[in-house]
Amino acid sequence: MAAATTKLLLSDLASTVKSVPSSYIRPISDRPNLTEVQISDGSIPLVDLQVLNGPSRLDTIKQIGQACQHDGFFQVRNHGIPETIINNMLTIARAFFKSPESERLKSYSDDPSKSTRLSTSFNVNTEKISNWRDYLRLHCYPLQDYMHEWPSNPPSFREVVAEYCTSVRGLVLRLLEAISESLGLQRDFIDKALGKHGQHMALNYYPPCPQPDLTYGLPGHTDPNLITVLLQDDVPGLQVLRNGKWLPVSPIPNTFIVNIGDQMQVLSNDRYKSVLHRALVNCDKERISIPTFYCPSPDAVIAPAKDLIDERHPAVYKNFTYAEYYQKFWNRGLDERCLDLFKASTA
């Protein structure tokens, strides 16, 4: 490995290089080909959650259901999380990645099973090509089980992140009720299918990249969890696959992006789709994105909802525990879909 890449973290390497190190360069067939990007006014649906508790509740539930079915992604506004909590979260994330290398490295680990860890790319032990990002991954539910592991610098880190996690969990639980109802299931069906529940989050840091057309922040992938709520700063980078074209999702202040994960596709028996998405980088600006991954607890048994199975719609997936699924996800390449491994036998 070249001397320049002996840094553990990309953020300590990126500012020292004039070109992308070879370990980050994608094969020509697997680069962010911008001719495949859909340039249009259309974006993912924007859902106003203010009316979720009013007389228009059923219309909003229908809108959420259609977004889950046709897009796999939607944005939410009037979500009830104060702007100060959002801004504090983005500010503390930026401050963490700007802290001295020696301070950040206290959280470093390349072991995906650790519940709090700072790392780089995706899984440095298994991947062949690196991704242009560093990330701090945290488990955050139940909070009291994990907070003591989190970084203690910047000094307000734990307090700010805990407040954010609690707020986002409240939003997720409201969304899960709406999604359950949109499938024609009892309002608490998904809640009860998740065992004790799990909540992880990542603070993603994408430094400026000297040759952004050669690499990805993250390549096209689906999320292994149930539902993801993404907070991003004002720098574009997220793209969603729609009808074979990559659709850029421009940041809208004070909104969240919600996407369906693999477990929701299973629970819905393929009615709702976990959609490929990717993160591009640019040569001018760093970008921060903060996804919250809401998931079943590891021992929860996941299977298609019985009420969504009939002669015309047999079960597409077999039963499995979330722990089994999650282990497969981390051991495979990020761009290899895991869902196919859990399909019901068609014999």
Side-chain angles (χ1 to χ4, degrees):
M1 200 181 261
T5 56
T6 52
K7 291 283 189 189
L8 282 172
L9 294 168
L10 173 65
S11 43
D12 301 311
L13 163 73
S15 58
T16 68
V17 296
K18 300 274 192 296
S19 58
V20 170
S22 58
S23 58
Y24 290 87
I25 297 177
R26 294 262 156 192
I28 290 173
S29 62
D30 182 30
R31 289 181 187 171
N33 181 353
L34 299 181
T35 59
E36 293 171 4
V37 174
Q38 181 180 327
I39 306 300
S40 75
D41 298 332
S43 187
I44 59 176
L46 178 60
V47 178
D48 188 337
L49 294 185
Q50 194 158 13
V51 292
L52 202 49
N53 298 324
S56 304
R57 177 178 172 82
L58 291 179
D59 290 340
T60 307
I61 286 171
K62 187 176 176 186
Q63 193 185 359
I64 288 172
Q66 286 178 333
C68 293
Q69 192 171 351
H70 301 297
D71 299 275
F73 269 79
F74 56 97
Q75 297 179 80
V76 293
R77 68 178 175 197
N78 293 324
H79 41 66
I81 299 181
E83 206 167 341
T84 49
I85 291 180
I86 291 173
N87 291 340
N88 289 346
M89 184 65 234
L90 286 167
T91 300
I92 209 80
R94 193 165 278 111
F96 174 81
F97 286 109
K98 289 282 179 263
S99 61
E101 180 181 13
S102 57
E103 188 61 43
R104 278 176 286 126
L105 285 174
K106 290 176 184 174
S107 302
Y108 183 83
S109 172
D110 60 10
D111 176 2
S113 68
K114 281 198 73 170
S115 49
T116 298
R117 64 191 180 96
L118 175 68
S119 195
T120 192
S121 189
F122 170 65
N123 185 348
V124 292
N125 297 318
T126 58
E127 64 201 6
K128 297 179 179 68
I129 302 171
S130 299
N131 303 304
W132 199 264
R133 77 155 184 167
D134 288 340
Y135 63 97
L136 177 65
R137 200 167 173 107
L138 308 172
H139 285 220
C140 35
Y141 182 78
L143 264 178
Q144 65 273 17
D145 291 359
Y146 299 110
M147 255 179 91
H148 65 278
E149 304 175 354
W150 295 355
S152 51
N153 274 309
S156 59
F157 185 91
R158 292 178 183 175
E159 182 188 344
V160 167
V161 176
E163 185 176 38
Y164 177 80
C165 290
T166 303
S167 300
V168 171
R169 181 167 185 266
L171 170 60
V172 167
L173 295 177
R174 289 169 63 212
L175 289 170
L176 293 185
E177 287 187 349
I179 292 170
S180 285
E181 287 186 63
S182 74
L183 286 164
L185 302 169
Q186 292 292 324
R187 186 185 284 200
D188 61 356
F189 176 85
I190 295 175
D191 183 331
K192 287 183 170 169
L194 307 180
K196 298 189 191 82
H197 293 216
Q199 182 180 345
H200 310 165
M201 69 189 292
L203 282 58
N204 291 324
Y205 179 73
Y206 302 99
C209 177
Q211 296 165 293
D213 52 334
L214 299 184
T215 190
Y216 289 109
L218 282 173
H221 65 283
T222 63
D223 290 350
N225 49 291
L226 178 80
I227 189 171
T228 301
V229 175
L230 177 74
L231 170 63
Q232 51 179 349
D233 66 9
D234 57 353
V235 179
L238 174 67
Q239 297 186 342
V240 175
L241 193 65
R242 182 195 276 171
N243 301 327
K245 290 263 189 185
W246 290 101
L247 178 72
V249 180
S250 299
I252 302 174
N254 210 26
T255 63
F256 290 99
I257 292 167
V258 179
N259 67 278
I260 294 307
D262 293 350
Q263 306 313 305
M264 191 74 82
Q265 182 163 334
V266 173
L267 285 174
S268 73
N269 203 29
D270 265 1
R271 273 202 214 176
Y272 292 170
K273 295 290 186 279
S274 177
V275 172
L276 286 167
H277 52 286
R278 66 184 186 179
L280 270 54
V281 290
N282 71 84
C283 49
D284 302 317
K285 290 183 174 175
E286 64 188 16
R287 175 174 177 258
I288 285 177
S289 74
I290 303 171
T292 293
F293 305 109
Y294 209 81
C295 39
S297 51
D299 58 351
V301 176
I302 305 301
K306 287 193 169 53
D307 286 356
L308 302 178
I309 300 169
D310 56 32
E311 281 182 24
R312 286 177 45 237
H313 306 96
V316 180
Y317 302 95
K318 58 189 180 187
N319 295 14
F320 55 86
T321 65
Y322 186 57
E324 289 174 68
Y325 196 95
Y326 198 63
Q327 188 176 6
K328 284 271 195 299
F329 171 77
W330 280 101
N331 289 343
R332 289 161 74 84
L334 183 61
D335 46 6
E336 296 177 66
R337 288 209 76 170
C338 283
L339 269 176
D340 294 342
L341 302 175
F342 292 90
K343 292 219 159 156
S345 169
T346 51

